[in-house]
Amino acid sequence: MVMTLNLHKSLKRKRQVIPIRDFEMEVYNSGKEGMTEIAFFDLETNVPNRAGQRFWVLEFGAIVVCPQKLAELESYSTLIRPKDLSVVSLKSSRCDGITRAAVANAPSFEQVADKIFSILNGRVWAGHNIQRFDCIRIKEAFAEIGRPAPEPVGMIDSLGVLTEKFGRRSGNMKMASLATYFGLGRQKHRSLDDVRMNLEVLKHCATVLFLESSLPNVLNGKRQGSPTIMTRSRTNGKLPCREEASQKSPQISSIGYQRSVPYTRGSLRKVTERV
């Protein structure tokens, strides 16, 4: 009994020595060697409608994802009250949009800054168009309260990645268009819902690209052209090998090609007999 009590006291003292933030950092550092987690995040802001008006963060939402299994490890979402409530509309044009009444009693950014920092700092950041918008708004919000902004170890902007790898098959590259293309439903323009939709869009795009890379001549034929054209592009403009040519065209094409050479009458007869 005495040994059990001493062990319990020792463990209790160990927990008290390590603050929560330090413990979270220690866990991250221990897993950093083998795996870095991805933080998908999204911001909802006001839309400036007059000169001199700035962006205010009205909602933050994020999920932490394991890159190996794409499992959601953690999620967080909060409405945020701006210093100037007049920038938020009394009524939203969307049925589930953010209104002035919704954020009136929400915490300020300073009150949730610690949680946002712990989710984003030291992780890979991912999101749709985050490089040009969300990342800038995060830095502005932390600068507003006089604190250093979180830093990523890498960034995945799905807008740029999908434009380059997947192409504009859905028309424009807005998240709503991509979700409609894959039948994933309507974009709600709420932070947590949008980041989960972003992950699902990436999964669908990656699956399509994987399948197309497995059978490029079959699955890419209608989109990129005929297999013959693709073969020529891979061989830097050279003619396909004899086996490929025999499958794409009848045998007489070889004789026709021989006749285009200015042979003498006797040599042409010998060549024809050999063919």
Side-chain angles (χ1 to χ4, degrees):
M1 179 64 74
V2 174
M3 183 179 296
T4 304
L5 289 174
N6 289 337
L7 179 60
H8 178 72
K9 290 179 180 179
S10 175
L11 291 173
K12 187 175 182 181
R13 284 196 298 269
K14 186 176 181 180
R15 285 197 299 269
Q16 290 174 345
V17 169
I18 303 175
I20 293 178
R21 288 181 61 118
D22 294 340
F23 177 74
E24 290 177 349
M25 185 60 69
E26 180 183 344
V27 170
Y28 171 72
N29 289 336
S30 64
K32 187 176 181 180
E33 297 179 357
M35 179 183 63
T36 301
E37 296 165 345
I38 303 176
F40 283 83
F41 75 99
D42 179 66
L43 304 177
E44 294 298 325
T45 69
N46 65 304
V47 179
N49 53 17
R50 63 176 183 270
Q53 193 177 62
R54 52 163 290 182
F55 286 98
W56 291 91
V57 178
L58 304 180
E59 188 178 42
F60 173 88
I63 58 174
V64 178
V65 174
C66 167
Q68 276 73 27
K69 299 182 179 181
L70 300 182
E72 185 176 314
L73 306 176
E74 181 183 356
S75 66
Y76 175 72
S77 176
T78 180
L79 289 169
I80 298 173
R81 184 183 72 253
K83 288 185 177 180
D84 184 6
L85 276 175
S86 66
V87 301
V88 188
S89 302
L90 291 173
K91 294 182 179 180
S92 175
S93 58
R94 305 186 183 101
C95 60
D96 50 1
I98 300 173
T99 62
R100 188 179 302 178
V103 299
N105 297 320
S108 65
F109 186 85
E110 189 171 8
Q111 291 175 304
V112 297
D114 284 340
K115 181 63 177 178
I116 293 175
F117 188 92
S118 68
I119 288 178
L120 295 180
N121 193 52
R123 288 189 168 111
V124 175
W125 292 6
H128 203 66
N129 198 29
I130 59 173
Q131 198 164 7
R132 294 184 177 182
F133 187 79
D134 302 76
C135 295
I136 298 174
R137 305 286 87 83
I138 284 289
K139 291 181 178 179
E140 290 175 350
F142 274 92
E144 179 75 19
I145 61 174
R147 290 185 50 176
E151 294 290 341
V153 297
M155 190 175 301
I156 303 172
D157 193 324
S158 57
L159 176 60
V161 172
L162 295 182
T163 301
E164 178 185 356
K165 303 294 184 182
F166 191 72
R168 298 180 178 273
R169 311 184 196 190
S170 63
N172 59 44
M173 297 305 293
K174 293 181 179 180
M175 184 55 59
S177 301
L178 290 164
T180 301
Y181 179 82
F182 287 112
L184 298 176
R186 181 178 59 87
Q187 184 185 11
K188 295 183 178 180
H189 293 280
R190 297 300 299 267
S191 295
L192 194 57
D193 293 319
D194 285 1
V195 292
R196 285 174 173 150
M197 176 174 280
N198 192 357
L199 179 58
E200 289 302 313
V201 164
L202 283 174
K203 288 179 182 178
H204 280 68
C205 290
T207 302
V208 170
L209 293 174
F210 172 77
L211 293 174
E212 289 178 348
S213 66
S214 301
L215 291 172
N217 291 346
V218 177
L219 299 180
N220 279 351
K222 293 182 180 180
R223 188 171 60 88
Q224 296 184 355
S226 65
T228 303
I229 295 176
M230 292 179 64
T231 303
R232 289 178 182 269
S233 66
R234 292 196 191 98
T235 55
N236 296 323
K238 297 180 182 179
L239 289 172
C241 63
R242 183 175 299 176
E243 289 78 4
E244 291 176 341
S246 64
Q247 294 174 3
K248 306 301 178 185
S249 57
Q251 292 286 348
I252 193 172
S253 62
S254 299
I255 300 176
Y257 177 78
Q258 296 291 346
R259 286 179 178 174
S260 64
V261 182
Y263 292 112
T264 60
R265 183 175 299 178
S267 61
L268 176 60
R269 181 178 179 181
K270 293 178 181 179
V271 172
T272 305
E273 289 174 354
R274 284 200 301 268
V275 173

